[in-house]
């Protein structure tokens, strides 16, 4: 059995997860674009986002200390939660490089943390492409890694493109005074995703191991135009128009995935 590291006092490492999801849609007319934005605002308003973050807090076994939430005009919403937990023992922490639980199998805990979410609905004024972005941050101090909530968050949104950043900052000391800049093994964020999620997405990593920086990009493999057109049935579109719309949507996804404009 692996010998556990004996620390001096509190574990001072800060582990931060930034999770960005993008939902892509085609809305041809101004009325359809407005209807899509209204749909997103209703689907992911401050109340709904508060519920999602409350579920995250429940998953990690923490207590909510404070909630600040706001819906914005003309669109968008934000929620911030301060949360805290009892101090964990080594036996309670689970830093194994493996997928975290879904809501029906909750066993993880946090020590101290905050979670935030901000939404950014937007639409292109000319080509009909609309994009909804949600930014979620989970930051913890202590033994547990926030990567354990990643599965729940991915399953809480319709995600065409996902970018995930994970960073461990600071250091903690063992009883001999030696500094430790990370307290768990990690090779890839992908190892924290369930098999069905890994199969559903094309993924690439950009990691800086010596700096404890980990970055994973994900793009949905399956493309069904019916899932992307808003207010119309894809089967009723002229084939040439349908192909043109698909090309524009795929280009939008690729540009977000690679973080550069495609000519």
């Amino acid at each position: 059995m692996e010998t556990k590291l004996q620390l001096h006092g509190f574990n001072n490492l800060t582990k931060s997860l930034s999770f960005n999801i993008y939902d892509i849609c085609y809305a041809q007319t101004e009325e359809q674009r407005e209807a899509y934005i209204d749909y997103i605002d209703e689907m992911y308003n401050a109340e709904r986002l508060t519920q999602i973050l409350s579920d995250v807090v429940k998953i990690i076994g923490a207590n909510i200390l404070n909630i600040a939430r706001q819906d914005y005009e003309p669109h968008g919403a934000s929620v911030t939660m301060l949360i805290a937990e009892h101090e964990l023992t080594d036996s309670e922490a689970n830093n194994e490089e493996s997928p975290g639980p879904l809501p029906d199998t909750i066993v993880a805990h946090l020590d101290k943390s905050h979670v935030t979410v901000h939404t950014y609905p937007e639409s292109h004024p000319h080509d009909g492409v609309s994009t909804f972005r949600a930014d979620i941050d989970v930051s913890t101090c202590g033994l547990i890694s926030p990567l354990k909530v990643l599965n729940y968050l991915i399953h809480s949104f319709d995600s065409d493109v996902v970018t995930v950043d994970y960073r461990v900052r600071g250091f903690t000391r063992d009883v001999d005074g030696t500094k430790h800049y990370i307290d768990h093994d990690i090779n890839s964020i992908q190892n924290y995703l369930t098999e069905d999620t890994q199969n559903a997405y094309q993924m690439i990593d950009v990691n800086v191991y010596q700096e404890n920086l980990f970055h994973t990009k994900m793009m949905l493999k399956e493309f069904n135009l019916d899932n992307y057109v808003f207010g119309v049935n894809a089967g009723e579109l002229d084939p040439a128009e349908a192909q043109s719309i698909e090309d524009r949507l795929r280009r939008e996804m690729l540009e977000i995935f690679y973080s550069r404009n495609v000519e």
Side-chain angles (χ1 to χ4, degrees), residues 69-110:
R69 68 184 190 185
Q70 181 66 54
D71 288 302
Y72 298 110
E73 186 65 37
H75 45 68
S78 296
V79 179
T80 299
M81 291 184 179
L82 297 179
I83 61 179
E85 230 311 303
H86 65 278
E87 186 171 352
L88 295 178
T89 64
D90 287 341
S91 62
E92 291 178 293
N94 178 10
N95 285 322
E96 180 185 356
E97 191 177 17
S98 61
L102 293 175
D104 58 348
T105 55
I106 305 311
V107 295
H109 294 275
L110 273 183

Side-chain angles (χ1 to χ4, degrees), residues 64-228:
I64 299 174
L65 299 178
N66 177 268
I67 300 176
R69 68 184 190 185
Q70 181 66 54
D71 288 302
Y72 298 110
E73 186 65 37
H75 45 68
S78 296
V79 179
T80 299
M81 291 184 179
L82 297 179
I83 61 179
E85 230 311 303
H86 65 278
E87 186 171 352
L88 295 178
T89 64
D90 287 341
S91 62
E92 291 178 293
N94 178 10
N95 285 322
E96 180 185 356
E97 191 177 17
S98 61
L102 293 175
D104 58 348
T105 55
I106 305 311
V107 295
H109 294 275
L110 273 183
D111 185 10
K112 297 177 181 177
S113 175
H114 70 265
V115 291
T116 65
V117 59
H118 307 282
T119 66
Y120 305 87
E122 64 89 37
S123 61
H124 193 287
H126 304 300
D127 69 2
V129 175
S130 297
T131 303
F132 165 67
R133 184 176 108 237
D135 294 351
I136 301 175
D137 294 289
V138 182
S139 184
T140 74
C141 294
L143 296 173
I144 193 69
S145 167
L147 285 166
K148 291 297 183 178
V149 303
L150 188 56
N151 275 316
Y152 174 79
L153 291 175
I154 288 179
H155 284 79
S156 296
F157 296 88
D158 293 326
S159 308
D160 296 311
V161 180
V162 183
T163 63
V164 187
D165 292 284
Y166 178 64
R167 181 182 183 187
V168 181
R169 294 174 293 169
F171 64 87
T172 192
R173 298 180 190 270
D174 62 23
V175 292
D176 296 324
T178 302
K179 298 183 185 71
H180 296 268
Y181 298 91
I182 193 167
D183 63 353
H184 63 94
D185 294 329
I186 175 173
N187 290 312
S188 172
I189 291 171
Q190 296 185 35
N191 294 334
Y192 290 85
L193 302 173
T194 53
E195 186 176 354
D196 65 322
T197 300
Q198 293 184 43
N199 292 335
Y201 287 88
Q202 172 187 345
M203 295 188 286
I204 59 174
D205 282 353
V206 182
N207 300 324
V208 185
Y209 295 103
Q210 64 270 29
E211 298 295 336
N212 296 321
L213 295 170
F214 305 89
H215 176 73
T216 296
K217 297 181 178 182
M218 308 166 57
M219 184 170 62
L220 201 62
K221 294 178 182 177
E222 182 178 348
F223 188 95
N224 184 338
L225 189 58
D226 266 324
N227 296 332
Y228 293 91

